C-alpha cells in the first residue's frame, strides 16, 4: 500500500511539472518560473532525483541572468549524477543483475550529452570558453548512447554547431551571448507529462 501511495505521489508530481512546462512552452515564463519554484520547494534538496533534474533544467530556461541559468543547469547535472548512482546501486541486486542491458541506468546515461551541451552554452554566454570546451568535450564523449533519431541527431548537431563556433572564436575569444530556446526536443528516459510529451532534459539548440 505504501509503495502504491508513493507511486501515486510521484505520478502527481510528474503531472504538475508537465503543466508548468506547458506554460513555459506557451510563453508564460513568469508563471512557469513561479510554479517551478513552488515545486522545487515542495520536493526539497533531497527529493526525487529525476524530478529535481527535470525541474532544474526547465528552471534554467526561465532565467534572465546567465549566471542563474548556469546555477540551475549545474543543479540538473548534479541530480542526474545522483540518479545514476542510485540506479547503479540497484543494478547490484538480484533484479538488475540478470539483465543489466535492460536497466534504466542505461537510459539515464542519454541525459548527459544534452546536460553538458546546456552547460557549454551557458559558459559561452558568460565568455568562459575553456569551461565551455570542457563540457562540450563531455557532451561529445557521451553521444554514443544516443539513438539514430530526431533527438539524437539534434543533440549531435547542437554539439557540432557550438564546436564550430568556439573554433572560430579561438582559445581566447569571447563569443556573443547565445540565446536559449526553451522546449526544444525531448529528453530520453524522462517521465511522460500531460499531452504525452516526455519530461527530461530536452535538446538545446545553441
Amino acid at each position: 500500500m505504501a509503495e502504491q501511495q508513493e507511486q501515486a505521489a510521484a505520478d502527481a508530481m510528474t503531472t504538475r511539472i508537465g503543466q508548468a512546462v506547458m506554460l513555459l512552452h506557451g510563453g508564460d515564463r513568469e508563471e512557469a518560473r513561479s510554479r517551478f519554484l513552488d515545486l522545487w520547494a515542495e520536493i526539497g534538496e533531497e527529493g526525487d532525483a529525476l524530478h529535481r533534474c527535470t525541474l532544474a533544467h526547465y528552471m534554467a530556461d526561465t532565467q534572465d541572468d546567465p549566471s542563474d541559468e548556469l546555477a540551475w543547469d549545474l543543479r540538473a547535472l548534479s541530480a542526474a549524477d545522483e540518479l545514476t548512482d542510485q540506479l547503479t546501486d540497484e543494478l547490484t541486486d538480484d533484479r538488475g543483475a540478470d539483465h543489466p542491458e535492460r536497466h534504466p541506468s542505461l537510459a539515464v546515461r542519454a541525459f548527459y550529452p544534452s546536460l553538458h551541451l546546456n552547460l557549454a552554452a551557458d559558459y559561452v554566454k558568460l565568455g568562459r570558453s575553456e569551461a565551455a570546451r570542457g563540457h562540450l568535450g563531455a557532451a561529445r564523449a557521451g553521444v554514443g548512447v544516443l539513438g539514430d533519431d530526431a533527438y539524437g541527431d539534434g543533440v549531435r548537431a547542437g554539439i557540432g554547431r557550438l564546436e564550430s563556433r568556439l573554433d572560430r572564436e579561438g582559445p581566447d575569444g569571447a563569443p556573443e551571448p547565445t540565446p536559449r530556446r526553451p522546449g526544444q526536443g525531448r529528453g530520453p528516459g524522462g517521465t511522460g507529462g500531460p499531452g504525452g510529451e516526455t519530461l527530461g532534459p530536452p535538446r538545446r539548440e545553441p
Side-chain angles (χ1 to χ4, degrees), residues 23-197:
L23 286 171
L24 176 61
H25 289 178
D28 194 345
R29 293 174 71 247
E30 292 299 326
E31 179 62 23
R33 177 163 50 201
S34 176
R35 292 201 189 188
F36 287 143
L37 281 173
D38 289 344
L39 292 171
W40 184 265
E42 185 175 335
I43 292 172
E45 294 288 343
E46 303 300 324
D48 181 86
L50 178 59
H51 289 156
R52 284 187 288 116
C53 180
T54 303
L55 270 174
H57 174 84
Y58 283 110
M59 191 63 186
D61 281 330
T62 71
Q63 301 306 302
D64 298 318
D65 187 325
S67 296
D68 292 336
E69 186 176 359
L70 172 64
W72 283 104
D73 275 329
L74 286 171
R75 289 185 182 101
L77 180 63
S78 177
D81 287 341
E82 290 181 39
L83 183 59
T84 299
D85 290 343
Q86 292 170 9
L87 293 173
T88 299
D89 289 343
E90 292 173 8
L91 188 58
T92 63
D93 68 20
D94 292 339
R95 291 171 298 171
D98 292 339
H99 300 286
E101 72 282 356
R102 301 179 188 173
H103 197 267
S105 61
L106 296 179
V108 174
R109 287 166 56 192
F111 283 8
Y112 284 96
S114 176
L115 292 172
H116 283 293
L117 176 58
N118 290 345
L119 285 162
D122 292 340
Y123 283 118
V124 165
K125 287 185 179 182
L126 294 168
R128 297 172 59 181
S129 297
E130 183 175 353
R133 287 187 174 89
H135 281 285
L136 202 55
R140 173 64 73 185
V143 296
V145 301
L146 298 177
D148 293 326
D149 52 20
Y151 172 78
D153 291 344
V155 173
R156 284 185 286 266
I159 292 171
R161 286 194 296 273
L162 198 53
E163 285 175 337
S164 297
R165 179 172 180 172
L166 287 172
D167 287 344
R168 290 195 302 270
E169 293 291 341
D172 299 320
E176 297 177 359
T178 303
R180 191 174 186 116
R181 298 178 59 184
Q184 292 288 330
R186 295 185 173 186
T191 53
E197 76 275 14

Side-chain angles (χ1 to χ4, degrees), residues 3-22:
E3 184 176 346
Q4 292 177 341
Q5 291 176 338
E6 290 179 2
Q7 184 60 49
D11 291 344
M13 178 58 68
T14 295
T15 298
R16 293 166 66 193
I17 293 172
Q19 290 169 344
V21 170
M22 291 175 71

